[in-house]
Amino acid sequence: MKQYDVIIIGSGPAGLGIAHSLEAAGVSYRILERENYWGGIPLTCGHRSFGINVYKYPMTAKAFIKKISKKVSASNIQTNTTALKVTPKGEVSVRTPEGLSTMNARKVVLATGCRESTRHGLLTSGLRPLEVMTTGALQRICNQNKTLPFGRTIIVGTEIVSFSALATLLGKGGKVVAMLEQEQEIATYRPLSLYTLARRIPVHCSTRITAIQGIDHVEGITVRQTTRHGEAKRFIPCDSVVFSGRFTAENTLAYASNLEPFMQNNRLVVDQYGQSDLPAIMACGNVLHPGDPGDYSFVEGCKLGKKLAVELRTPVAASQLIPVICPKEFTSDIQCVRIPANAGSIKADINLHAQKRLCGTISLAVNNKIVQEKKGSFLPRYRIAFKGVNLAPGKTDTCMEIFYAPRHVTTP
């Protein structure tokens, strides 16, 4: 059985960030990647939206992955390797072209990322011809073909990634029939709707796709739209459908490893260092906060790698856990904060994501005392960061709680 200090499952920005720090610290590690290339989902993206937070200028995903992997030894990345199961003791069962085998590590980090919701996840009926796909599949098709194999597309969703799909289709000479959004407003910044207006692309809000029509090929879709007059069903002809956004954590491995008791809201319960209740298992990146930019995951991975390198060489001190209580309108990247007993005080970052578009005040309280507030509009699945929250050990009643007060608009 092969033995390592750390096994990282996933070679996206988070996994490469962890490896970046472990390599610098001289810690033995192994990255397991199921594809025949490393870099993760970002490599399917063709737009320049990477590197802004890390290198202060925009670059393509391919350039970003190449840059962040320069200090990672290719010999430590094992492609064509699927992790099948992880045990609480750090054993990883894998499948490779050569067959089944087992590896062991002192720490196993799940950096499996996220995926877009499919038509099955959105409970859309009908068959699935080849022209029904996610944004990632669309990007792969566009990267492999000079022209599109279809010409009249419906985009389901209005997140940033949805507009990325829109730009990709228009750049390839395709026509977008419409964009659909089941909420009352688009899920990203309102000025982006001006782009669709300029290109004469209708955006239908309060509209849900109910069925895809067609057997061998897409012939159209049936939608249900809610207006002030009630609900109305109608048919929209098209030859392809792109389901975009609504990212969900890729936790297939966690469920296969029977980690449900240590999960909450389809995510592993971790502290600010990515440590779960199982000493040998950690998590990092978009498996904890689906849909965040790759830059955030890389920075988070670098921080986790540095902390991990120190922890592997120094005995872990006893610590106090402070729960993070979050209202139903939001999800938190972490569910507790760990304070080592020998630490005078620490500063922790708490990142939230709104479940839908909200407007009001978010307050973060420690021991029922508000320490930070944020006011304004909060878009779904965009990071809301509370940075540098001061915490000190020793108080048995210490807790952190998030409060949300919606802003009520009164009409005269």
Side-chain angles (χ1 to χ4, degrees):
M1 184 186 297
K2 295 181 180 178
Q3 176 74 39
Y4 301 95
D5 286 330
V6 181
I7 290 177
I8 305 164
I9 302 174
S11 67
L16 291 174
I18 298 167
H20 186 278
S21 295
L22 295 179
E23 185 105 13
V27 176
S28 70
Y29 69 91
R30 194 73 165 177
I31 297 179
L32 306 183
E33 172 55 56
R34 65 184 176 186
E35 304 292 346
N36 60 1
Y37 58 88
W38 69 79
I41 287 179
L43 286 182
T44 63
C45 303
H47 49 82
R48 292 177 175 270
S49 63
F50 295 84
I52 298 174
N53 293 296
V54 179
Y55 300 108
K56 308 306 178 186
Y57 63 91
M59 60 181 74
T60 63
K62 191 174 290 186
F64 178 66
I65 295 297
K66 183 178 180 181
K67 197 170 182 67
I68 66 177
S69 60
K70 276 186 177 180
K71 295 184 179 180
V72 177
S73 299
S75 59
N76 286 330
I77 305 177
Q78 186 171 323
T79 56
N80 292 314
T81 302
T82 302
L84 302 175
K85 188 176 181 180
V86 178
T87 71
K89 294 183 179 180
E91 291 184 2
V92 183
S93 301
V94 302
R95 182 179 63 236
T96 66
E98 290 74 37
L100 302 176
S101 61
T102 303
M103 301 177 176
N104 189 267
R106 295 168 63 187
K107 293 284 186 180
V108 177
V109 186
L110 306 184
T112 47
C114 62
R115 54 183 169 79
E116 291 176 280
S117 293
T118 62
R119 58 173 288 270
H120 297 292
L122 296 174
L123 302 178
T124 303
S125 63
L127 300 176
R128 183 178 174 177
L130 292 175
E131 299 89 356
V132 179
M133 68 203 79
T134 61
T135 307
L138 170 68
Q139 302 281 10
R140 284 191 289 271
I141 290 172
C142 292
N143 290 338
Q144 294 169 2
N145 301 280
K146 291 184 178 180
T147 58
L148 290 172
F150 39 79
R152 291 174 56 79
T153 305
I154 293 283
I155 298 176
V156 181
T158 58
E159 298 178 33
I160 280 287
V161 69
S162 311
F163 285 87
S164 172
L166 174 62
T168 298
L169 287 165
L170 296 179
K172 284 288 185 177
K175 180 178 179 179
V176 176
V177 178
M179 298 180 75
L180 309 182
E181 173 56 53
Q182 65 182 28
E183 301 296 338
Q184 295 179 357
E185 297 182 86
I186 66 171
T188 186
Y189 302 107
R190 289 192 183 96
L192 279 176
S193 61
L194 297 176
Y195 177 70
T196 57
L197 188 63
R199 300 302 294 259
R200 297 184 178 179
I201 299 169
V203 178
H204 301 303
C205 293
S206 300
T207 303
R208 182 186 295 272
I209 179 172
T210 59
I212 298 172
Q213 309 297 338
I215 299 176
D216 295 325
H217 299 284
V218 174
E219 298 174 1
I221 62 171
T222 302
V223 300
R224 180 183 287 113
Q225 186 171 24
T226 303
T227 66
R228 60 183 179 179
H229 303 295
E231 286 192 348
K233 290 180 67 174
R234 66 189 180 105
F235 174 79
I236 303 177
C238 62
D239 64 4
S240 52
V241 181
V242 176
F243 287 90
S244 64
R246 292 193 173 271
F247 289 94
T248 181
E250 180 52 87
N251 269 321
T252 305
L253 176 60
Y255 285 114
S257 304
N258 299 317
L259 299 182
E260 291 98 324
F262 307 96
M263 298 174 68
Q264 181 179 314
N265 297 326
N266 192 39
R267 304 172 197 181
L268 202 64
V269 174
V270 298
D271 62 18
Q272 76 273 30
Y273 305 119
Q275 179 64 60
S276 73
D277 286 339
L278 298 169
I281 297 180
M282 307 179 74
C284 181
N286 277 354
V287 72
L288 299 176
H289 39 80
D292 267 0
D295 292 43
Y296 290 164
S297 293
F298 175 68
V299 172
E300 182 183 323
C302 289
K303 291 179 179 178
L304 186 148
K306 289 178 182 178
K307 178 69 178 177
L308 194 50
V310 174
E311 185 178 317
L312 289 171
R313 291 184 176 135
T314 309
V316 180
S319 56
Q320 175 186 350
L321 285 180
I322 298 176
V324 178
I325 302 172
C326 193
K328 62 181 181 180
E329 293 89 352
F330 299 88
T331 58
S332 174
D333 294 358
I334 61 176
Q335 290 71 42
C336 59
V337 175
R338 189 180 302 271
I339 306 179
N342 56 2
S345 64
I346 67 165
K347 290 187 176 182
D349 295 340
I350 308 296
N351 298 312
L352 307 178
H353 292 78
Q355 299 284 63
K356 61 180 182 179
R357 184 187 285 268
L358 297 170
C359 185
T361 302
I362 307 173
S363 305
L364 188 151
V366 177
N367 286 343
N368 296 318
K369 180 181 179 181
I370 294 176
V371 294
Q372 289 191 33
E373 275 190 347
K374 289 188 179 294
K375 298 181 179 181
S377 296
F378 308 102
L379 295 172
R381 291 169 287 280
Y382 278 72
R383 176 175 286 197
I384 306 163
F386 289 91
K387 292 186 175 293
V389 181
N390 282 305
L391 296 166
K395 298 179 180 179
T396 56
D397 60 344
T398 297
C399 71
M400 299 180 66
E401 189 165 2
I402 311 295
F403 298 96
Y404 170 65
R407 187 176 70 191
H408 297 286
V409 179
T410 57
T411 55

